[in-house]
Amino acid sequence: MYTEKVMDHFSNPRNVGEIENADGVGEVGNASCGDIMKIFLKVEDNVIKDIKFKTFGCGAAIATSSMVTEMAIGKTLDEAMELTNAAVAEALDGLPANKMHCSNLAADALHEAIKNYRENHS
């Protein structure tokens, strides 16, 4: 079913919470499963210095949110925009086929937060 990494990130999610006065915020949802992910960014010199998430969803949704924050922190905005849904799933050593949409949400929420940052800081 779930890999050890998925279970670890579900049981002990990293970077949970909200950033007050975040530089960028992205939210995405999947109506068919009810998952909603929100990502908050703090950006300095075009680099993601802090990142937090709030997710309403299944274990895979929480695990992918946690993983995407770990993958994005310290990256430039351009590098973070290159993170793909497949890369998030791969970093967790895979997801069950019926849960792959969760990885889509995590990367999409990150990309939305970056877009939001760029719209407000251009």
Side-chain angles (χ1 to χ4, degrees):
M1 181 79 184
Y2 290 120
T3 67
E4 272 186 47
K5 278 190 184 176
V6 171
M7 292 307 294
D8 179 42
H9 278 269
F10 167 67
S11 301
N12 307 291
R14 281 57 145 192
N15 305 307
V16 176
E18 216 171 302
I19 297 174
E20 266 189 56
N21 304 313
D23 295 320
V25 179
E27 183 173 343
V28 295
N30 182 321
S32 65
C33 67
D35 291 347
I36 300 170
M37 294 180 183
K38 197 168 190 178
I39 290 196
F40 304 84
L41 300 176
K42 204 46 127 166
V43 179
E44 289 175 25
D45 299 324
N46 219 30
V47 173
I48 297 172
K49 291 295 185 184
D50 195 12
I51 182 169
K52 301 262 187 249
F53 79 90
K54 290 175 93 176
T55 292
F56 177 82
C58 67
I62 292 165
T64 55
S65 298
S66 174
M67 179 55 83
V68 85
T69 64
E70 286 207 321
M71 294 172 78
I73 199 159
K75 288 195 172 3
T76 67
L77 296 177
D78 287 341
E79 289 169 339
M81 281 299 282
E82 290 176 17
L83 288 175
T84 63
N85 306 325
V88 174
E90 191 177 305
L92 289 165
D93 295 333
L95 289 170
N98 67 331
K99 295 294 181 180
M100 283 304 287
H101 65 273
C102 297
S103 66
N104 299 356
L105 291 178
D108 290 350
L110 171 64
H111 297 158
E112 287 301 314
I114 293 168
K115 287 178 196 167
N116 176 255
Y117 169 79
R118 287 180 167 160
E119 286 167 5
N120 295 327
H121 296 87
S122 53

PDB file of all heavy atoms in Angstrom, residues 8-20 36-41 50-59 61-70 73:
ATOM      1  N   ASP A   8       6.003   7.934   6.965  1.00  0.00           N
ATOM      2  CA  ASP A   8       6.786   8.838   7.806  1.00  0.00           C
ATOM      3  C   ASP A   8       6.299  10.280   7.653  1.00  0.00           C
ATOM      4  O   ASP A   8       6.085  10.982   8.642  1.00  0.00           O
ATOM      5  CB  ASP A   8       8.270   8.723   7.465  1.00  0.00           C
ATOM      6  CG  ASP A   8       9.127   9.663   8.301  1.00  0.00           C
ATOM      7  OD1 ASP A   8       8.879   9.780   9.522  1.00  0.00           O
ATOM      8  OD2 ASP A   8      10.040  10.285   7.742  1.00  0.00           O
ATOM      9  N   HIS A   9       6.110  10.714   6.418  1.00  0.00           N
ATOM     10  CA  HIS A   9       5.671  12.093   6.183  1.00  0.00           C
ATOM     11  C   HIS A   9       4.216  12.305   6.595  1.00  0.00           C
ATOM     12  O   HIS A   9       3.829  13.423   6.944  1.00  0.00           O
ATOM     13  CB  HIS A   9       5.876  12.493   4.719  1.00  0.00           C
ATOM     14  CG  HIS A   9       7.268  12.921   4.426  1.00  0.00           C
ATOM     15  ND1 HIS A   9       7.679  14.229   4.520  1.00  0.00           N
ATOM     16  CD2 HIS A   9       8.367  12.210   4.072  1.00  0.00           C
ATOM     17  CE1 HIS A   9       8.970  14.311   4.225  1.00  0.00           C
ATOM     18  NE2 HIS A   9       9.402  13.097   3.943  1.00  0.00           N
ATOM     19  N   PHE A  10       3.421  11.226   6.590  1.00  0.00           N
ATOM     20  CA  PHE A  10       2.045  11.342   7.074  1.00  0.00           C
ATOM     21  C   PHE A  10       2.026  11.405   8.602  1.00  0.00           C
ATOM     22  O   PHE A  10       1.365  12.252   9.195  1.00  0.00           O
ATOM     23  CB  PHE A  10       1.192  10.158   6.581  1.00  0.00           C
ATOM     24  CG  PHE A  10      -0.124  10.052   7.297  1.00  0.00           C
ATOM     25  CD1 PHE A  10      -1.093  11.033   7.138  1.00  0.00           C
ATOM     26  CD2 PHE A  10      -0.405   8.983   8.127  1.00  0.00           C
ATOM     27  CE1 PHE A  10      -2.307  10.956   7.810  1.00  0.00           C
ATOM     28  CE2 PHE A  10      -1.617   8.899   8.802  1.00  0.00           C
ATOM     29  CZ  PHE A  10      -2.572   9.880   8.635  1.00  0.00           C
ATOM     30  N   SER A  11       2.798  10.534   9.236  1.00  0.00           N
ATOM     31  CA  SER A  11       2.812  10.465  10.703  1.00  0.00           C
ATOM     32  C   SER A  11       3.565  11.628  11.338  1.00  0.00           C
ATOM     33  O   SER A  11       3.236  12.057  12.446  1.00  0.00           O
ATOM     34  CB  SER A  11       3.444   9.155  11.163  1.00  0.00           C
ATOM     35  OG  SER A  11       2.723   8.061  10.657  1.00  0.00           O
ATOM     36  N   ASN A  12       4.603  12.103  10.648  1.00  0.00           N
ATOM     37  CA  ASN A  12       5.442  13.196  11.162  1.00  0.00           C
ATOM     38  C   ASN A  12       5.628  14.258  10.083  1.00  0.00           C
ATOM     39  O   ASN A  12       6.740  14.466   9.602  1.00  0.00           O
ATOM     40  CB  ASN A  12       6.812  12.656  11.582  1.00  0.00           C
ATOM     41  CG  ASN A  12       6.701  11.498  12.534  1.00  0.00           C
ATOM     42  OD1 ASN A  12       6.291  11.664  13.662  1.00  0.00           O
ATOM     43  ND2 ASN A  12       7.055  10.308  12.061  1.00  0.00           N
ATOM     44  N   PRO A  13       4.554  14.918   9.669  1.00  0.00           N
ATOM     45  CA  PRO A  13       4.680  15.883   8.568  1.00  0.00           C
ATOM     46  C   PRO A  13       5.610  17.031   8.937  1.00  0.00           C
ATOM     47  O   PRO A  13       5.631  17.490  10.074  1.00  0.00           O
ATOM     48  CB  PRO A  13       3.251  16.364   8.337  1.00  0.00           C
ATOM     49  CG  PRO A  13       2.503  16.033   9.582  1.00  0.00           C
ATOM     50  CD  PRO A  13       3.202  14.864  10.207  1.00  0.00           C
ATOM     51  N   ARG A  14       6.400  17.452   7.966  1.00  0.00           N
ATOM     52  CA  ARG A  14       7.331  18.559   8.125  1.00  0.00           C
ATOM     53  C   ARG A  14       6.659  19.859   7.671  1.00  0.00           C
ATOM     54  O   ARG A  14       5.871  19.844   6.738  1.00  0.00           O
ATOM     55  CB  ARG A  14       8.577  18.346   7.249  1.00  0.00           C
ATOM     56  CG  ARG A  14       9.606  17.372   7.797  1.00  0.00           C
ATOM     57  CD  ARG A  14       9.082  15.996   8.071  1.00  0.00           C
ATOM     58  NE  ARG A  14      10.069  14.949   7.798  1.00  0.00           N
ATOM     59  CZ  ARG A  14       9.764  13.673   7.744  1.00  0.00           C
ATOM     60  NH1 ARG A  14       8.527  13.268   7.908  1.00  0.00           N
ATOM     61  NH2 ARG A  14      10.703  12.791   7.526  1.00  0.00           N
ATOM     62  N   ASN A  15       7.026  20.949   8.315  1.00  0.00           N
ATOM     63  CA  ASN A  15       6.629  22.294   7.875  1.00  0.00           C
ATOM     64  C   ASN A  15       5.121  22.528   7.855  1.00  0.00           C
ATOM     65  O   ASN A  15       4.597  23.200   6.977  1.00  0.00           O
ATOM     66  CB  ASN A  15       7.229  22.588   6.486  1.00  0.00           C
ATOM     67  CG  ASN A  15       8.728  22.400   6.475  1.00  0.00           C
ATOM     68  OD1 ASN A  15       9.433  22.968   7.289  1.00  0.00           O
ATOM     69  ND2 ASN A  15       9.220  21.558   5.571  1.00  0.00           N
ATOM     70  N   VAL A  16       4.428  21.971   8.845  1.00  0.00           N
ATOM     71  CA  VAL A  16       2.985  22.178   8.943  1.00  0.00           C
ATOM     72  C   VAL A  16       2.721  23.545   9.561  1.00  0.00           C
ATOM     73  O   VAL A  16       3.434  23.960  10.473  1.00  0.00           O
ATOM     74  CB  VAL A  16       2.331  21.097   9.832  1.00  0.00           C
ATOM     75  CG1 VAL A  16       0.848  21.376  10.023  1.00  0.00           C
ATOM     76  CG2 VAL A  16       2.542  19.725   9.248  1.00  0.00           C
ATOM     77  N   GLY A  17       1.731  24.226   9.050  1.00  0.00           N
ATOM     78  CA  GLY A  17       1.325  25.481   9.656  1.00  0.00           C
ATOM     79  C   GLY A  17       1.130  26.575   8.638  1.00  0.00           C
ATOM     80  O   GLY A  17       0.977  26.315   7.448  1.00  0.00           O
ATOM     81  N   GLU A  18       1.141  27.784   9.153  1.00  0.00           N
ATOM     82  CA  GLU A  18       0.875  28.961   8.339  1.00  0.00           C
ATOM     83  C   GLU A  18       1.990  29.962   8.584  1.00  0.00           C
ATOM     84  O   GLU A  18       2.521  30.016   9.691  1.00  0.00           O
ATOM     85  CB  GLU A  18      -0.449  29.559   8.815  1.00  0.00           C
ATOM     86  CG  GLU A  18      -1.297  30.139   7.738  1.00  0.00           C
ATOM     87  CD  GLU A  18      -2.681  30.504   8.247  1.00  0.00           C
ATOM     88  OE1 GLU A  18      -3.384  29.614   8.754  1.00  0.00           O
ATOM     89  OE2 GLU A  18      -3.039  31.688   8.131  1.00  0.00           O
ATOM     90  N   ILE A  19       2.348  30.721   7.577  1.00  0.00           N
ATOM     91  CA  ILE A  19       3.323  31.799   7.742  1.00  0.00           C
ATOM     92  C   ILE A  19       2.541  33.108   7.755  1.00  0.00           C
ATOM     93  O   ILE A  19       1.855  33.425   6.779  1.00  0.00           O
ATOM     94  CB  ILE A  19       4.373  31.811   6.611  1.00  0.00           C
ATOM     95  CG1 ILE A  19       5.207  30.530   6.629  1.00  0.00           C
ATOM     96  CG2 ILE A  19       5.270  33.044   6.731  1.00  0.00           C
ATOM     97  CD1 ILE A  19       6.173  30.401   5.458  1.00  0.00           C
ATOM     98  N   GLU A  20       2.623  33.837   8.874  1.00  0.00           N
ATOM     99  CA  GLU A  20       1.975  35.143   8.928  1.00  0.00           C
ATOM    100  C   GLU A  20       2.661  36.076   7.951  1.00  0.00           C
ATOM    101  O   GLU A  20       3.876  36.064   7.823  1.00  0.00           O
ATOM    102  CB  GLU A  20       2.064  35.709  10.346  1.00  0.00           C
ATOM    103  CG  GLU A  20       0.851  35.398  11.180  1.00  0.00           C
ATOM    104  CD  GLU A  20       0.851  36.151  12.493  1.00  0.00           C
ATOM    105  OE1 GLU A  20       0.936  37.397  12.457  1.00  0.00           O
ATOM    106  OE2 GLU A  20       0.777  35.472  13.515  1.00  0.00           O
ATOM    107  N   ILE A  36      -7.697  19.505  -0.152  1.00  0.00           N
ATOM    108  CA  ILE A  36      -7.358  20.923  -0.344  1.00  0.00           C
ATOM    109  C   ILE A  36      -5.985  21.152   0.265  1.00  0.00           C
ATOM    110  O   ILE A  36      -5.716  20.724   1.386  1.00  0.00           O
ATOM    111  CB  ILE A  36      -8.374  21.849   0.353  1.00  0.00           C
ATOM    112  CG1 ILE A  36      -9.775  21.623  -0.213  1.00  0.00           C
ATOM    113  CG2 ILE A  36      -7.964  23.310   0.214  1.00  0.00           C
ATOM    114  CD1 ILE A  36     -10.868  22.313   0.569  1.00  0.00           C
ATOM    115  N   MET A  37      -5.095  21.800  -0.501  1.00  0.00           N
ATOM    116  CA  MET A  37      -3.753  22.102  -0.034  1.00  0.00           C
ATOM    117  C   MET A  37      -3.503  23.592  -0.155  1.00  0.00           C
ATOM    118  O   MET A  37      -3.837  24.208  -1.164  1.00  0.00           O
ATOM    119  CB  MET A  37      -2.701  21.377  -0.857  1.00  0.00           C
ATOM    120  CG  MET A  37      -2.729  19.902  -0.710  1.00  0.00           C
ATOM    121  SD  MET A  37      -1.462  19.147  -1.728  1.00  0.00           S
ATOM    122  CE  MET A  37      -1.802  17.431  -1.398  1.00  0.00           C
ATOM    123  N   LYS A  38      -2.876  24.139   0.890  1.00  0.00           N
ATOM    124  CA  LYS A  38      -2.510  25.544   0.886  1.00  0.00           C
ATOM    125  C   LYS A  38      -1.040  25.628   1.274  1.00  0.00           C
ATOM    126  O   LYS A  38      -0.619  25.026   2.265  1.00  0.00           O
ATOM    127  CB  LYS A  38      -3.376  26.298   1.894  1.00  0.00           C
ATOM    128  CG  LYS A  38      -3.398  27.784   1.716  1.00  0.00           C
ATOM    129  CD  LYS A  38      -4.519  28.386   2.565  1.00  0.00           C
ATOM    130  CE  LYS A  38      -4.729  29.839   2.224  1.00  0.00           C
ATOM    131  NZ  LYS A  38      -5.843  30.412   2.992  1.00  0.00           N
ATOM    132  N   ILE A  39      -0.256  26.350   0.478  1.00  0.00           N
ATOM    133  CA  ILE A  39       1.177  26.498   0.737  1.00  0.00           C
ATOM    134  C   ILE A  39       1.506  27.970   0.928  1.00  0.00           C
ATOM    135  O   ILE A  39       1.011  28.822   0.189  1.00  0.00           O
ATOM    136  CB  ILE A  39       2.005  25.863  -0.402  1.00  0.00           C
ATOM    137  CG1 ILE A  39       1.861  24.358  -0.321  1.00  0.00           C
ATOM    138  CG2 ILE A  39       3.466  26.295  -0.327  1.00  0.00           C
ATOM    139  CD1 ILE A  39       2.849  23.531  -1.065  1.00  0.00           C
ATOM    140  N   PHE A  40       2.333  28.238   1.939  1.00  0.00           N
ATOM    141  CA  PHE A  40       2.751  29.591   2.298  1.00  0.00           C
ATOM    142  C   PHE A  40       4.263  29.702   2.099  1.00  0.00           C
ATOM    143  O   PHE A  40       5.003  28.821   2.529  1.00  0.00           O
ATOM    144  CB  PHE A  40       2.445  29.872   3.777  1.00  0.00           C
ATOM    145  CG  PHE A  40       1.007  29.675   4.142  1.00  0.00           C
ATOM    146  CD1 PHE A  40       0.520  28.415   4.464  1.00  0.00           C
ATOM    147  CD2 PHE A  40       0.127  30.750   4.179  1.00  0.00           C
ATOM    148  CE1 PHE A  40      -0.805  28.220   4.813  1.00  0.00           C
ATOM    149  CE2 PHE A  40      -1.200  30.568   4.523  1.00  0.00           C
ATOM    150  CZ  PHE A  40      -1.677  29.304   4.841  1.00  0.00           C
ATOM    151  N   LEU A  41       4.704  30.799   1.479  1.00  0.00           N
ATOM    152  CA  LEU A  41       6.128  31.010   1.207  1.00  0.00           C
ATOM    153  C   LEU A  41       6.652  32.282   1.858  1.00  0.00           C
ATOM    154  O   LEU A  41       5.964  33.301   1.886  1.00  0.00           O
ATOM    155  CB  LEU A  41       6.379  31.151  -0.296  1.00  0.00           C
ATOM    156  CG  LEU A  41       6.002  30.017  -1.222  1.00  0.00           C
ATOM    157  CD1 LEU A  41       6.267  30.436  -2.659  1.00  0.00           C
ATOM    158  CD2 LEU A  41       6.769  28.759  -0.882  1.00  0.00           C
ATOM    159  N   ASP A  50      11.460  30.026   3.772  1.00  0.00           N
ATOM    160  CA  ASP A  50      10.573  29.280   4.667  1.00  0.00           C
ATOM    161  C   ASP A  50       9.351  28.871   3.865  1.00  0.00           C
ATOM    162  O   ASP A  50       8.937  29.566   2.932  1.00  0.00           O
ATOM    163  CB  ASP A  50      10.169  30.142   5.866  1.00  0.00           C
ATOM    164  CG  ASP A  50       9.560  29.312   7.010  1.00  0.00           C
ATOM    165  OD1 ASP A  50       9.654  28.061   6.979  1.00  0.00           O
ATOM    166  OD2 ASP A  50       8.995  29.923   7.938  1.00  0.00           O
ATOM    167  N   ILE A  51       8.798  27.734   4.233  1.00  0.00           N
ATOM    168  CA  ILE A  51       7.621  27.213   3.534  1.00  0.00           C
ATOM    169  C   ILE A  51       6.818  26.386   4.527  1.00  0.00           C
ATOM    170  O   ILE A  51       7.391  25.629   5.313  1.00  0.00           O
ATOM    171  CB  ILE A  51       8.031  26.391   2.281  1.00  0.00           C
ATOM    172  CG1 ILE A  51       6.811  25.881   1.516  1.00  0.00           C
ATOM    173  CG2 ILE A  51       8.975  25.267   2.640  1.00  0.00           C
ATOM    174  CD1 ILE A  51       7.137  25.305   0.136  1.00  0.00           C
ATOM    175  N   LYS A  52       5.523  26.596   4.521  1.00  0.00           N
ATOM    176  CA  LYS A  52       4.623  25.846   5.406  1.00  0.00           C
ATOM    177  C   LYS A  52       3.408  25.412   4.583  1.00  0.00           C
ATOM    178  O   LYS A  52       3.113  25.972   3.535  1.00  0.00           O
ATOM    179  CB  LYS A  52       4.153  26.712   6.572  1.00  0.00           C
ATOM    180  CG  LYS A  52       5.258  27.260   7.442  1.00  0.00           C
ATOM    181  CD  LYS A  52       5.455  26.427   8.658  1.00  0.00           C
ATOM    182  CE  LYS A  52       6.443  27.052   9.614  1.00  0.00           C
ATOM    183  NZ  LYS A  52       7.680  26.346   9.719  1.00  0.00           N
ATOM    184  N   PHE A  53       2.710  24.408   5.113  1.00  0.00           N
ATOM    185  CA  PHE A  53       1.500  23.961   4.413  1.00  0.00           C
ATOM    186  C   PHE A  53       0.393  23.636   5.400  1.00  0.00           C
ATOM    187  O   PHE A  53       0.636  23.313   6.552  1.00  0.00           O
ATOM    188  CB  PHE A  53       1.791  22.740   3.532  1.00  0.00           C
ATOM    189  CG  PHE A  53       1.873  21.438   4.295  1.00  0.00           C
ATOM    190  CD1 PHE A  53       0.739  20.660   4.509  1.00  0.00           C
ATOM    191  CD2 PHE A  53       3.083  20.986   4.795  1.00  0.00           C
ATOM    192  CE1 PHE A  53       0.817  19.460   5.211  1.00  0.00           C
ATOM    193  CE2 PHE A  53       3.167  19.786   5.496  1.00  0.00           C
ATOM    194  CZ  PHE A  53       2.031  19.026   5.703  1.00  0.00           C
ATOM    195  N   LYS A  54      -0.826  23.752   4.883  1.00  0.00           N
ATOM    196  CA  LYS A  54      -2.013  23.265   5.575  1.00  0.00           C
ATOM    197  C   LYS A  54      -2.766  22.434   4.551  1.00  0.00           C
ATOM    198  O   LYS A  54      -3.055  22.922   3.462  1.00  0.00           O
ATOM    199  CB  LYS A  54      -2.874  24.429   6.064  1.00  0.00           C
ATOM    200  CG  LYS A  54      -2.241  25.202   7.212  1.00  0.00           C
ATOM    201  CD  LYS A  54      -3.069  26.408   7.577  1.00  0.00           C
ATOM    202  CE  LYS A  54      -4.029  26.041   8.682  1.00  0.00           C
ATOM    203  NZ  LYS A  54      -4.797  27.221   9.156  1.00  0.00           N
ATOM    204  N   THR A  55      -3.042  21.202   4.906  1.00  0.00           N
ATOM    205  CA  THR A  55      -3.711  20.298   3.977  1.00  0.00           C
ATOM    206  C   THR A  55      -4.892  19.621   4.647  1.00  0.00           C
ATOM    207  O   THR A  55      -4.781  19.144   5.778  1.00  0.00           O
ATOM    208  CB  THR A  55      -2.726  19.229   3.461  1.00  0.00           C
ATOM    209  OG1 THR A  55      -1.757  19.871   2.636  1.00  0.00           O
ATOM    210  CG2 THR A  55      -3.426  18.151   2.644  1.00  0.00           C
ATOM    211  N   PHE A  56      -5.985  19.601   3.939  1.00  0.00           N
ATOM    212  CA  PHE A  56      -7.150  18.833   4.346  1.00  0.00           C
ATOM    213  C   PHE A  56      -7.254  17.698   3.354  1.00  0.00           C
ATOM    214  O   PHE A  56      -7.489  17.931   2.174  1.00  0.00           O
ATOM    215  CB  PHE A  56      -8.415  19.709   4.295  1.00  0.00           C
ATOM    216  CG  PHE A  56      -9.668  18.955   4.638  1.00  0.00           C
ATOM    217  CD1 PHE A  56     -10.026  18.748   5.954  1.00  0.00           C
ATOM    218  CD2 PHE A  56     -10.468  18.436   3.631  1.00  0.00           C
ATOM    219  CE1 PHE A  56     -11.179  18.036   6.276  1.00  0.00           C
ATOM    220  CE2 PHE A  56     -11.621  17.728   3.935  1.00  0.00           C
ATOM    221  CZ  PHE A  56     -11.984  17.525   5.265  1.00  0.00           C
ATOM    222  N   GLY A  57      -6.991  16.481   3.806  1.00  0.00           N
ATOM    223  CA  GLY A  57      -7.055  15.362   2.878  1.00  0.00           C
ATOM    224  C   GLY A  57      -6.549  14.072   3.486  1.00  0.00           C
ATOM    225  O   GLY A  57      -6.294  13.987   4.689  1.00  0.00           O
ATOM    226  N   CYS A  58      -6.357  13.107   2.631  1.00  0.00           N
ATOM    227  CA  CYS A  58      -5.935  11.776   3.049  1.00  0.00           C
ATOM    228  C   CYS A  58      -4.445  11.760   3.407  1.00  0.00           C
ATOM    229  O   CYS A  58      -3.737  12.754   3.261  1.00  0.00           O
ATOM    230  CB  CYS A  58      -6.212  10.778   1.924  1.00  0.00           C
ATOM    231  SG  CYS A  58      -5.200  11.060   0.458  1.00  0.00           S
ATOM    232  N   GLY A  59      -3.978  10.615   3.865  1.00  0.00           N
ATOM    233  CA  GLY A  59      -2.573  10.464   4.242  1.00  0.00           C
ATOM    234  C   GLY A  59      -1.609  10.793   3.125  1.00  0.00           C
ATOM    235  O   GLY A  59      -0.584  11.436   3.347  1.00  0.00           O
ATOM    236  N   ALA A  61      -2.136  12.871   0.658  1.00  0.00           N
ATOM    237  CA  ALA A  61      -2.164  14.322   0.437  1.00  0.00           C
ATOM    238  C   ALA A  61      -1.271  15.025   1.458  1.00  0.00           C
ATOM    239  O   ALA A  61      -0.520  15.945   1.118  1.00  0.00           O
ATOM    240  CB  ALA A  61      -3.602  14.839   0.534  1.00  0.00           C
ATOM    241  N   ILE A  62      -1.327  14.587   2.696  1.00  0.00           N
ATOM    242  CA  ILE A  62      -0.489  15.176   3.746  1.00  0.00           C
ATOM    243  C   ILE A  62       0.979  14.856   3.477  1.00  0.00           C
ATOM    244  O   ILE A  62       1.846  15.722   3.573  1.00  0.00           O
ATOM    245  CB  ILE A  62      -0.944  14.686   5.129  1.00  0.00           C
ATOM    246  CG1 ILE A  62      -2.331  15.281   5.430  1.00  0.00           C
ATOM    247  CG2 ILE A  62       0.074  15.049   6.214  1.00  0.00           C
ATOM    248  CD1 ILE A  62      -3.066  14.635   6.573  1.00  0.00           C
ATOM    249  N   ALA A  63       1.268  13.618   3.110  1.00  0.00           N
ATOM    250  CA  ALA A  63       2.656  13.210   2.845  1.00  0.00           C
ATOM    251  C   ALA A  63       3.248  13.969   1.658  1.00  0.00           C
ATOM    252  O   ALA A  63       4.399  14.411   1.719  1.00  0.00           O
ATOM    253  CB  ALA A  63       2.727  11.702   2.586  1.00  0.00           C
ATOM    254  N   THR A  64       2.488  14.155   0.593  1.00  0.00           N
ATOM    255  CA  THR A  64       3.021  14.873  -0.572  1.00  0.00           C
ATOM    256  C   THR A  64       3.216  16.352  -0.253  1.00  0.00           C
ATOM    257  O   THR A  64       4.186  16.963  -0.700  1.00  0.00           O
ATOM    258  CB  THR A  64       2.126  14.705  -1.823  1.00  0.00           C
ATOM    259  OG1 THR A  64       0.794  15.116  -1.520  1.00  0.00           O
ATOM    260  CG2 THR A  64       2.141  13.275  -2.324  1.00  0.00           C
ATOM    261  N   SER A  65       2.327  16.923   0.549  1.00  0.00           N
ATOM    262  CA  SER A  65       2.494  18.323   0.975  1.00  0.00           C
ATOM    263  C   SER A  65       3.783  18.476   1.775  1.00  0.00           C
ATOM    264  O   SER A  65       4.568  19.401   1.550  1.00  0.00           O
ATOM    265  CB  SER A  65       1.313  18.767   1.838  1.00  0.00           C
ATOM    266  OG  SER A  65       0.110  18.710   1.135  1.00  0.00           O
ATOM    267  N   SER A  66       3.989  17.571   2.715  1.00  0.00           N
ATOM    268  CA  SER A  66       5.186  17.596   3.544  1.00  0.00           C
ATOM    269  C   SER A  66       6.440  17.461   2.685  1.00  0.00           C
ATOM    270  O   SER A  66       7.406  18.220   2.832  1.00  0.00           O
ATOM    271  CB  SER A  66       5.114  16.466   4.576  1.00  0.00           C
ATOM    272  OG  SER A  66       6.304  16.355   5.308  1.00  0.00           O
ATOM    273  N   MET A  67       6.423  16.524   1.759  1.00  0.00           N
ATOM    274  CA  MET A  67       7.589  16.269   0.908  1.00  0.00           C
ATOM    275  C   MET A  67       7.889  17.457   0.001  1.00  0.00           C
ATOM    276  O   MET A  67       9.043  17.840  -0.165  1.00  0.00           O
ATOM    277  CB  MET A  67       7.386  15.005   0.070  1.00  0.00           C
ATOM    278  CG  MET A  67       8.551  14.694  -0.863  1.00  0.00           C
ATOM    279  SD  MET A  67      10.179  14.575  -0.049  1.00  0.00           S
ATOM    280  CE  MET A  67      10.137  12.894   0.556  1.00  0.00           C
ATOM    281  N   VAL A  68       6.861  18.057  -0.587  1.00  0.00           N
ATOM    282  CA  VAL A  68       7.114  19.178  -1.501  1.00  0.00           C
ATOM    283  C   VAL A  68       7.741  20.354  -0.754  1.00  0.00           C
ATOM    284  O   VAL A  68       8.586  21.054  -1.298  1.00  0.00           O
ATOM    285  CB  VAL A  68       5.855  19.579  -2.309  1.00  0.00           C
ATOM    286  CG1 VAL A  68       4.956  20.545  -1.552  1.00  0.00           C
ATOM    287  CG2 VAL A  68       6.235  20.183  -3.656  1.00  0.00           C
ATOM    288  N   THR A  69       7.377  20.541   0.519  1.00  0.00           N
ATOM    289  CA  THR A  69       8.005  21.632   1.278  1.00  0.00           C
ATOM    290  C   THR A  69       9.486  21.343   1.490  1.00  0.00           C
ATOM    291  O   THR A  69      10.316  22.247   1.382  1.00  0.00           O
ATOM    292  CB  THR A  69       7.319  21.875   2.638  1.00  0.00           C
ATOM    293  OG1 THR A  69       7.464  20.742   3.486  1.00  0.00           O
ATOM    294  CG2 THR A  69       5.862  22.246   2.463  1.00  0.00           C
ATOM    295  N   GLU A  70       9.822  20.097   1.777  1.00  0.00           N
ATOM    296  CA  GLU A  70      11.232  19.736   1.965  1.00  0.00           C
ATOM    297  C   GLU A  70      12.020  19.881   0.669  1.00  0.00           C
ATOM    298  O   GLU A  70      13.184  20.268   0.683  1.00  0.00           O
ATOM    299  CB  GLU A  70      11.355  18.299   2.480  1.00  0.00           C
ATOM    300  CG  GLU A  70      10.975  18.154   3.923  1.00  0.00           C
ATOM    301  CD  GLU A  70      11.679  16.991   4.591  1.00  0.00           C
ATOM    302  OE1 GLU A  70      11.848  15.935   3.958  1.00  0.00           O
ATOM    303  OE2 GLU A  70      12.070  17.160   5.760  1.00  0.00           O
ATOM    304  N   ILE A  73      12.353  24.075  -0.114  1.00  0.00           N
ATOM    305  CA  ILE A  73      13.047  25.027   0.757  1.00  0.00           C
ATOM    306  C   ILE A  73      14.511  25.148   0.341  1.00  0.00           C
ATOM    307  O   ILE A  73      15.165  24.156   0.018  1.00  0.00           O
ATOM    308  CB  ILE A  73      12.896  24.658   2.250  1.00  0.00           C
ATOM    309  CG1 ILE A  73      13.210  25.874   3.115  1.00  0.00           C
ATOM    310  CG2 ILE A  73      13.725  23.456   2.625  1.00  0.00           C
ATOM    311  CD1 ILE A  73      12.637  25.792   4.506  1.00  0.00           C
TER     312      ILE A  73
END
